[in-house]
Amino acid sequence: MNFFKLFLCAFLGLSSTLQAQGLLQRAQQGGEARFVEGMVRVGQLQAGLVTERSAVAAGQPIWVGLRLVHDPHWHTYWRNPGDSGLPTRIEWRLPQGWQVGEIQWPTPKRLPVGPLANFGYEGELLLAVELRPPAVLSGTEVTLQAHGHWLVCKDVCIPGDAQLALRLPIAPDAKTIRNGTDSQLFAAARQSWPKKDAARVVTAHVNEKTLSLFWPAGGTQESSGFFYPYLEGLILPAAAQSLSKTAQGWRLDVPLGESASSALAEIKKKKTVEGIWVVGDQSGLEWVAPLSAQPPPAIESVVNAGQTAAQAAPSVPSTPSRELLWSAIGAAILGGLMLNLMPCVFPVIGLKVLSFAESAHSTSVTVWRSLSFSLGVLLSFLALGGLLVALRSAGDVMGWGFQLQSPPVVLTLALLFVLIAINLFGVFEMGLLAVRAANAGFAERAASRSGAGGAFFSGVLAVVVASPCTAPFMGSAIGFTANAGIAETLTVFAALGVGMSLPYLILALSPGLLRALPRPGPWMVGFKQFMAFPMLAAAAWLFWVLATLQGADSVLPALLTAVALAGGLWIYGRFIQRGGIGAISILGLAVMLAVLGAAFVSVLRIQPPTSDQKSAQSAAPNQATVWQPWSAGLPERLAAEGSIVFVDFTASWCITCQANKVRVLQSELVTKAFTEKRVSTLRADWTRQDPVIAAELKRHGRNGVPLYLVYRPGDTKPRVLSEWLTEQEVLTALR
């Protein structure tokens, strides 16, 4: 994960007035803060610099540490923070000749955060460092200075830092030095430091999805435990780890992280896996396991399947209240209804209007088609909801529109729209929405099974193309499902389907409205061909989305796939479908299909652009507003420094996001307000799957983009704006 390690700079005194204010604030947050003498209060914790000895002698190492006392339920992070967060850092400013050792990290705890998990510390923490003075010290005392940086989190994360100093007398020799008043802190800290594991010889093996650690039997009796690797991103922190018995001894299987490639490259370079093995509340045992080319020994029996982070967390009621569920259902129906007005759904809705016109004067046909269309919409929404539930159960963090984060899906949809457009132009017939107005038997065929199947497919297609859009009311409805159970999630998605299909059911059941439509006739051929252009526009937009996912190099092969598809359909419609099946037409079709397949594969083999390239592309010089990349904790830090902060959670495939960008965020009034008020503008790009952004969306009650947040100076909780932005709403929030 890439995080911008910028921290809040604040110098807070030790006056009793500030301590009293801090105590009142902590009490208001539901926890009592214990003030420690000699410590500095910085937000949600107290910090201080402590030493084990009362003085320092030339050439004699001395232990000094950063002491953090967290307020109740707040935590900071270990050297590997887990799914999110930042490890605490210490910048030392020492006299010339001093040397600094490594931080001695106590054994961390796994801290569940929804479906994710972090590694860190609550309560009291001492990060000890061995300092080595030079062989000669002049003067009577020495000043040791340290600048501590941390990220402290509870429901929100707040970066913090403190400038700390410690004065120590210089003793003539080590024999005259006594233990300091804080020496017991170091004695307690040593008990929590990981120790070398002398009882095991651990070996590691890595495959595509799992890190396996195994060691021979003897010397220890295993029952359960958790492996904390030193490398960030190597494993899934929230996933269960399975301990098994083998013929040779023991085996621990640990699921790898979703973005473990850089960590895997590092361990392959070092040829070892390093971390600590923790059993219960004991201090960790440090493992340095060499990589082995041999597969791990076969499992004979599973000793402990482990616990996910959610299972390990204290049990809390997770079932939403009935009032919240009914509110989500109502919002889903309204959101689904308004989804019909969104630009991404227009091409398919146009086809549905054409279908109504074809059967406008046959009520039974219209009702049958409308029911089939509604069934396609409803089942598609239920399928999306079920897929989200399954992915969530597997540990993935997904949201609305997740399928458009996949290049194969985007390219397939683009080609599908090209296919439909070519069909609408009349190049070939596939039975779906074919217009034969001159044929007197049209109504009877429309009521046939193929007509119902076409309407059902139109409903499925409408849901697929609706996924890039987020209509008003939809954000809160889908956000509700992030923490809801299976039944509640599927109910909300079903309500979305009911809302989206409601206008067509009403129109189908209102013969008077249907009779107002013009009768079927030659005009329908022109209307059908006209509706091919919105389809091509949708395909062009999807090719652009593909370029943002795979880079500019993917555009040419993607367009070649569309050309090959068009050529193959022309051969099929011009020759084969009209009975002209011959060797030349079959050969031409085969060539087009081969080009189509080769171009399709070449698109997906292109490596996507790196984050640096994306940053360079996003920093376009013609943009009136300069957008910084968002990172966890950055908005709170900027707000604490006195800035107004506007955060845009967006994605290239999100039509609503792009419409809001053009209509509002790039408008003259809003860009002028951003400049005049010196607003810090941040953008979180969710075009490709990013679990950190997904977790942040969930934290704000959303399960997809867009999301717009405004932080006022000093705010830790932002104001959430609506999905369909207006200039006035943004200007009011900035004021």
Side-chain angles (χ1 to χ4, degrees):
M1 303 177 186
N2 293 320
F3 293 90
F4 287 82
K5 300 181 178 179
L6 302 176
F7 294 91
L8 171 66
C9 296
F11 298 89
L12 297 178
L14 292 173
S15 67
S16 59
T17 302
L18 286 179
Q19 290 185 348
Q21 290 176 351
L23 179 59
L24 177 60
Q25 292 173 357
R26 303 287 85 71
Q28 290 172 346
Q29 293 172 356
E32 180 181 353
R34 176 176 64 86
F35 288 99
V36 181
E37 184 179 354
M39 303 283 282
V40 177
R41 157 90 33 203
V42 185
Q44 289 68 32
L45 56 74
Q46 298 167 77
L49 204 59
V50 295
T51 179
E52 187 176 27
R53 309 299 297 274
S54 60
V56 62
Q60 297 297 319
I62 183 172
W63 284 95
V64 180
L66 174 64
R67 185 186 182 191
L68 300 178
V69 180
H70 306 83
D71 287 352
H73 311 300
W74 291 82
H75 62 268
T76 53
Y77 294 92
W78 186 50
R79 57 185 292 179
N80 171 5
D83 275 314
S84 61
L86 292 169
T88 301
R89 295 187 296 114
I90 308 174
E91 295 177 1
W92 292 95
R93 298 171 185 174
L94 303 174
Q96 188 174 3
W98 284 69
Q99 295 180 350
V100 180
E102 298 291 334
I103 293 177
Q104 299 300 310
W105 295 91
T107 300
K109 293 183 178 180
R110 191 163 57 149
L111 305 170
V113 184
L116 308 178
N118 297 326
F119 303 149
Y121 310 97
E122 296 177 323
E124 188 162 334
L125 170 67
L126 179 64
L127 298 178
V129 176
E130 187 181 53
L131 304 181
R132 293 178 290 277
V136 177
L137 291 175
S138 59
T140 58
E141 69 175 14
V142 64
T143 300
L144 308 177
Q145 299 182 60
H147 190 181
H149 304 263
W150 56 80
L151 184 68
V152 59
C153 298
K154 184 185 173 186
D155 299 324
V156 297
C157 289
I158 305 172
D161 72 342
Q163 296 273 9
L164 304 167
L166 185 66
R167 289 184 179 179
L168 290 175
I170 297 177
D173 56 65
K175 295 179 181 179
T176 61
I177 300 177
R178 299 179 179 178
N179 285 338
T181 56
D182 295 315
S183 60
Q184 71 280 3
L185 297 176
F186 289 85
R190 285 189 176 90
Q191 298 301 314
S192 64
W193 294 352
K195 300 168 180 60
K196 298 292 183 182
D197 191 354
R200 301 172 180 82
V201 178
V202 185
T203 308
H205 178 81
V206 176
N207 60 26
E208 292 182 357
K209 295 183 178 180
T210 307
L211 164 67
S212 295
L213 300 164
F214 45 97
W215 58 96
T220 58
Q221 288 297 323
E222 312 294 347
S223 59
S224 64
F226 192 88
F227 178 69
Y228 295 83
Y230 287 156
L231 280 176
E232 183 178 352
L234 178 61
I235 70 168
L236 286 175
Q241 299 183 1
S242 177
L243 179 65
S244 307
K245 204 165 187 179
T246 71
Q248 289 78 28
W250 304 92
R251 168 176 167 174
L252 180 71
D253 291 316
V254 183
L256 290 177
E258 295 176 352
S259 304
S261 55
S262 59
L264 288 174
E266 182 68 19
I267 65 173
K268 289 177 182 178
K269 179 180 178 182
K270 292 184 176 180
K271 299 183 179 179
T272 57
V273 176
E274 300 179 50
I276 58 175
W277 170 248
V278 180
V279 178
D281 295 330
Q282 301 175 14
S283 62
L285 295 171
E286 189 173 43
W287 285 357
V288 180
L291 284 180
S292 172
Q294 298 297 324
I299 296 173
E300 289 188 345
S301 61
V302 176
V303 176
N304 191 298
Q307 289 183 320
T308 64
Q311 292 168 335
S315 59
V316 293
S318 59
T319 303
S321 66
R322 188 173 297 274
E323 292 78 9
L324 285 176
L325 176 60
W326 281 111
S327 298
I329 292 173
I333 293 175
L334 289 174
L337 187 63
M338 299 186 72
L339 202 56
N340 292 289
L341 305 177
M342 304 306 288
C344 48
V345 187
F346 175 72
V348 179
I349 299 309
L351 299 182
K352 188 59 189 170
V353 171
L354 178 62
S355 175
F356 272 121
E358 290 174 347
S359 57
H361 298 274
S362 177
T363 304
S364 61
V365 172
T366 304
V367 170
W368 183 240
R369 283 189 171 185
S370 298
L371 290 175
S372 298
F373 176 83
S374 301
L375 182 62
V377 170
L378 185 62
L379 291 182
S380 298
F381 269 112
L382 286 174
L384 275 178
L387 184 56
L388 279 173
V389 169
L391 291 172
R392 188 174 65 193
S393 300
D396 290 331
V397 184
M398 296 291 183
W400 177 249
F402 68 93
Q403 64 272 29
L404 292 181
Q405 295 171 331
S406 168
V409 173
V410 172
L411 181 55
T412 301
L413 285 177
L415 296 177
L416 176 62
F417 283 146
V418 171
L419 182 148
I420 294 175
I422 293 174
N423 172 253
L424 293 175
F425 280 132
V427 174
F428 77 104
E429 298 292 344
M430 59 181 181
L432 173 63
L433 301 175
V435 181
R436 299 184 181 91
N439 193 324
F442 174 78
E444 289 76 12
R445 281 196 305 276
S448 68
R449 182 177 178 182
S450 62
F456 180 86
F457 175 77
S458 297
V460 174
L461 188 62
V463 175
V464 171
V465 300
S467 57
C469 283
T470 302
F473 303 103
M474 272 187 65
S476 57
I478 295 178
F480 168 87
T481 65
N483 295 308
I486 297 177
E488 292 84 359
T489 298
L490 295 180
T491 300
V492 170
F493 273 85
L496 282 168
V498 170
M500 188 174 182
S501 58
L502 194 58
Y504 312 104
L505 290 174
I506 294 175
L507 189 61
L509 298 176
S510 304
L513 295 175
L514 288 174
R515 282 192 289 269
L517 294 174
R519 289 184 173 276
W523 68 270
M524 297 177 64
V525 176
F527 183 75
K528 184 184 77 163
Q529 293 175 346
F530 171 77
M531 289 310 302
F533 291 99
M535 284 292 174
L536 290 176
W541 162 69
L542 285 168
F543 284 124
W544 174 75
V545 172
L546 182 68
T548 64
L549 288 171
Q550 292 291 88
D553 291 342
S554 66
V555 174
L556 179 59
L559 293 177
L560 286 177
T561 61
V563 172
L565 176 65
L569 293 175
W570 177 77
I571 293 173
Y572 174 74
R574 177 67 178 82
F575 299 103
I576 298 177
Q577 199 169 51
R578 296 184 182 182
I581 302 177
I584 296 179
S585 60
I586 295 296
L587 179 62
L589 182 61
V591 170
M592 287 298 176
L593 290 177
V595 173
L596 173 66
F600 192 99
V601 171
S602 67
V603 172
L604 303 183
R605 293 183 64 181
I606 293 174
Q607 293 297 321
T610 64
S611 57
D612 292 340
Q613 292 170 331
K614 286 184 178 181
S615 299
Q617 293 167 3
S618 63
N622 60 344
Q623 290 183 351
T625 304
V626 178
W627 293 87
Q628 304 177 54
W630 171 90
S631 62
L634 181 57
E636 292 85 354
R637 184 188 70 80
L638 293 173
E641 291 178 347
S643 296
I644 302 174
V645 184
F646 185 94
V647 187
D648 173 18
F649 287 82
T650 184
S652 297
W653 42 261
C654 171
I655 288 289
T656 309
C657 305
Q658 304 308 320
N660 286 338
K661 189 183 300 182
V662 174
R663 293 185 312 103
V664 179
L665 298 182
Q666 295 177 356
S667 69
E668 183 178 354
L669 282 176
V670 172
T671 54
K672 182 179 179 181
F674 283 159
T675 302
E676 290 179 348
K677 297 182 180 295
R678 298 181 179 179
V679 178
S680 297
T681 49
L682 308 179
R683 180 161 284 160
D685 190 350
W686 205 41
T687 300
R688 298 186 72 87
Q689 175 63 18
D690 187 329
V692 178
I693 295 178
E696 186 72 7
L697 291 169
K698 182 178 179 181
R699 190 163 73 87
H700 293 289
R702 295 293 173 85
N703 206 19
V705 289
L707 172 64
Y708 304 101
L709 307 177
V710 175
Y711 292 78
R712 299 291 302 176
D715 283 356
T716 57
K717 291 187 178 180
R719 175 177 178 178
V720 181
L721 306 186
S722 61
E723 297 96 335
W724 190 251
L725 277 182
T726 64
E727 289 182 341
Q728 189 59 44
E729 182 182 19
V730 175
L731 297 176
T732 301
L734 296 180
R735 286 196 294 266

